[in-house]
Amino acid sequence: MTVRHYCQGIGDCHLLHFTKDDGSDFYMLIDCGLHSSVTNNTTKIKEIAADIAGVTKNIDVLVATHEHWDHISGFRTANETFKTIRFGEAWLGWTEDPKDKQARKLDNYKTKALKALDAVNSHLAPAKALSPYMQGVKEGISSLRGFYFGAKGDTVRNARNATVALAKKVKYIEPSSKPLTIPGMKNLRIYVLGPPRDEAMIRVTDRASEMYGLSMNRGHAMSAALLNAVANFTTATAPPDDDVIDPFDRNLGEPLSSLLAAGSSSQRGDADSDPRFVDLRRFVAAHYGDAATKGEQDWRRIDFDWTGVGADLAMQLDDRTNNTSVVLAFEFVDTGRVFLFAADAQIGSWLSWQDLRWKVDGEWVTAQDLLKRTVFYKVGHHGSQNATARAKGLELMDSPDLDAFIPTNQKDALKVNWGAMPYKILLKDLEERCRGRVVRADDAWIGTGKVPASLSSGKGSITAAACGKGLWVEFELS
């Protein structure tokens, strides 16, 4: 088995090569995307697509693990190049199946949440002089949108559709009663570990006992509240009558704009002549008017604070989408060795694997057994703190031959406000379990071509390594 990992930064793209029983080639491509905020992202993806087309003009299986821009954008932004390649099947998770009732429910949630976040982002974009907290919300929502929208506003849904259109046949996969097999490769079994069918597991994005570092119904409520609130600010005419976040009836209160408008008639009629109302207008003008906001009264204003809930919704949407990742474990029958590609699966998905088992040749195979026999791990979600389970994940991978690859770039991760990627505690544990045989997409040697001695020693699952001028690193795996 040969794997060419592309090293574009915050993104995944992996080209797998197998030799079939008759000596012919079999290629599988898992994802091809890059976060929209990474410098020259479209150029990099086109370089990767061209390299793939230079390796093979026939890809038997295209796997689109989940609906995030950094995983599938290339099938749209480099579509012309990918159209020169013949694709057989496309494998997507059951969560993308338009005929699946449960998938449609999840898709409805994602659609509403994205619409709400896009509206909040547009509302916050021109805002100036925000508080440190609200500035963080603004930057966080903006950077997270990079997983759903391209640099020019293109959508991840368009990328998913472009992916599906490349293949002759689409297969929606999920954990089932038996592993997948490939005609002409008797020595290979492919176990599907995720995405889970249990909605509760899709919602679980962290658990203290498993991590190295909100319900779906609540997500619908947040989406509705945000969309309603945005409408109040952007509607040219009167705001909607069914304001779900307004604590008062429409006939109560006075719009701030009315109080600040000098000489305008208020909604209160005779109240204009009431001295108490005049005093209220003076107070509002003094503390909330334009003159006040240029001085030391800025802290009184909460014009954008209602958008803060967008941060919760954004993280909830992102984590749940990651938990819909297609996770594949490749097992070689003769040796029992396993190669795990976890996409961006987070804690909920990992926990759901604990209940999986398959009847193979009269014997039960469990997910725990597959993890214990794993000798190569494509690290989940760029090495983040909640995308590799501890006790029910990495600690089960106790093979002395374990090696790992992390598709991450620390500088790009900081640029998009994702903090420590890879997470230091996880990286330390990986280094110990892999005896130092952990490769990152931003390792300097990938650009120089000088393969480290630890990868050319013949130890572990990597029997040979090569690199292509910083664009990719390739391993022959045993």
Side-chain angles (χ1 to χ4, degrees):
M1 176 180 178
T2 301
V3 181
R4 179 170 290 194
H5 298 287
Y6 289 92
C7 304
Q8 65 268 44
I10 302 297
D12 268 43
C13 186
H14 318 283
L15 182 63
L16 284 60
H17 172 259
F18 303 86
T19 302
K20 299 177 76 171
D21 299 342
D22 62 4
S24 61
D25 296 321
F26 181 94
Y27 283 97
M28 176 182 288
L29 179 62
I30 302 178
D31 291 336
C32 187
L34 180 60
H35 195 286
S36 63
S37 67
V38 174
T39 304
N40 297 323
N41 58 85
T42 300
T43 300
K44 287 184 179 180
I45 283 295
K46 288 183 177 180
E47 289 177 2
I48 290 172
D51 186 82
I52 294 170
V55 173
T56 179
K57 290 293 186 180
N58 184 75
I59 291 178
D60 299 274
V61 174
L62 167 60
V63 182
T65 61
H66 62 295
E67 201 175 11
H68 267 166
W69 192 257
D70 64 320
H71 282 255
I72 59 173
S73 61
F75 301 117
R76 180 163 176 84
T77 57
N79 189 256
E80 291 304 313
T81 301
F82 279 118
K83 282 182 177 179
T84 67
I85 300 173
R86 176 198 170 275
F87 289 90
E89 288 187 340
W91 292 0
L92 286 79
W94 66 265
T95 50
E96 309 302 324
D97 186 353
K99 296 181 180 179
D100 188 290
K101 184 177 179 180
Q102 189 179 355
R104 292 200 304 270
K105 178 181 175 183
L106 177 63
D107 192 67
N108 182 48
Y109 157 73
K110 287 162 54 177
T111 300
K112 289 183 177 179
L114 276 174
K115 184 178 179 182
L117 290 175
D118 203 34
V120 168
N121 181 72
S122 299
H123 188 68
L124 283 174
K128 307 293 183 182
L130 293 172
S131 68
Y133 166 71
M134 286 310 305
Q135 185 62 31
V137 170
K138 176 182 177 179
E139 293 173 0
I141 291 177
S142 177
S143 67
L144 199 141
R145 287 179 76 256
F147 285 99
Y148 298 95
F149 298 93
K152 296 181 180 180
D154 203 357
T155 67
V156 71
R157 180 56 52 86
N158 291 337
R160 189 194 71 176
N161 293 341
T163 306
V164 171
L166 288 170
K168 290 185 175 181
K169 180 182 178 182
V170 180
K171 179 186 291 186
Y172 298 100
I173 60 177
E174 61 180 292
S176 60
S177 58
K178 61 180 181 179
L180 301 173
T181 57
I182 303 297
M185 282 197 284
K186 297 178 182 179
N187 196 35
L188 179 68
R189 298 190 187 109
I190 305 173
Y191 296 82
V192 182
L193 304 185
R197 269 288 178 181
D198 188 345
E199 288 184 11
M201 290 295 98
I202 292 177
R203 292 196 296 265
V204 175
T205 57
D206 54 46
R207 184 161 293 180
S209 62
E210 288 295 336
M211 282 175 57
Y212 282 87
L214 308 166
S215 80
M216 202 171 292
N217 288 335
R218 181 169 176 263
H220 279 296
M222 284 194 288
S223 300
L226 283 171
L227 286 169
N228 192 276
V230 171
N232 276 329
F233 279 88
T234 58
T235 303
T237 57
D241 292 330
D242 57 340
D243 187 351
V244 296
I245 64 170
D246 195 340
F248 305 108
D249 291 335
R250 282 287 181 213
N251 62 332
L252 299 175
E254 184 77 14
L256 180 63
S257 58
S258 176
L259 290 171
L260 291 174
S264 66
S265 58
S266 74
Q267 295 179 357
R268 298 170 62 92
D270 295 340
D272 281 341
S273 59
D274 189 325
R276 292 171 298 180
F277 186 73
V278 174
D279 289 341
L280 172 62
R281 179 169 285 177
R282 288 173 179 168
F283 176 85
V284 169
H287 293 295
Y288 300 95
D290 291 339
T293 58
K294 295 178 182 177
E296 298 179 357
Q297 302 295 320
D298 290 355
W299 63 272
R300 293 179 179 272
R301 300 193 63 119
I302 57 171
D303 302 49
F304 297 97
D305 287 40
W306 57 270
T307 63
V309 70
D312 290 336
L313 180 61
M315 291 305 299
Q316 182 190 98
L317 173 64
D318 183 54
D319 289 339
R320 289 182 184 173
T321 302
N322 284 334
N323 264 344
T324 64
S325 291
V326 171
V327 180
L328 301 177
F330 299 85
E331 177 200 37
F332 285 87
V333 177
D334 56 352
T335 62
R337 289 159 76 89
V338 175
F339 303 80
L340 179 64
F341 286 72
D344 283 358
Q346 299 197 334
I347 294 300
S349 183
W350 284 79
L351 294 178
S352 74
W353 308 346
Q354 307 309 307
D355 297 325
L356 298 178
R357 64 177 188 165
W358 300 262
K359 194 71 170 287
V360 179
D361 295 336
E363 300 288 338
W364 286 108
V365 176
T366 67
Q368 293 94 323
D369 176 48
L370 293 175
L371 290 172
K372 289 185 69 67
R373 292 190 279 118
T374 295
V375 295
F376 186 83
Y377 172 38
K378 194 294 292 184
V379 179
H381 198 237
H382 323 293
S384 68
Q385 63 182 3
N386 64 338
T388 298
R390 177 177 277 172
K392 295 181 179 179
L394 189 55
E395 290 180 3
L396 292 175
M397 301 182 208
D398 55 8
S399 170
D401 288 342
L402 182 65
D403 298 332
F405 174 77
I406 312 175
T408 194
N409 184 296
Q410 194 170 36
K411 291 182 179 179
D412 287 336
L414 291 171
K415 181 179 178 181
V416 298
N417 299 308
W418 280 100
M421 276 188 179
Y423 196 60
K424 290 183 179 179
I425 299 175
L426 169 62
L427 183 60
K428 182 176 182 295
D429 201 1
L430 278 168
E431 291 281 0
E432 292 176 356
R433 294 178 182 280
C434 296
R435 282 79 170 168
R437 298 184 301 271
V438 177
V439 179
R440 289 167 43 174
D442 58 356
D443 281 345
W445 69 266
I446 296 175
T448 65
K450 297 180 180 179
V451 179
S454 61
L455 299 179
S456 57
S457 63
K459 297 179 180 179
S461 61
I462 299 175
T463 59
C467 49
K469 299 180 180 180
L471 185 65
W472 51 262
V473 59
E474 186 171 274
F475 301 133
E476 288 185 15
L477 302 174
S478 169

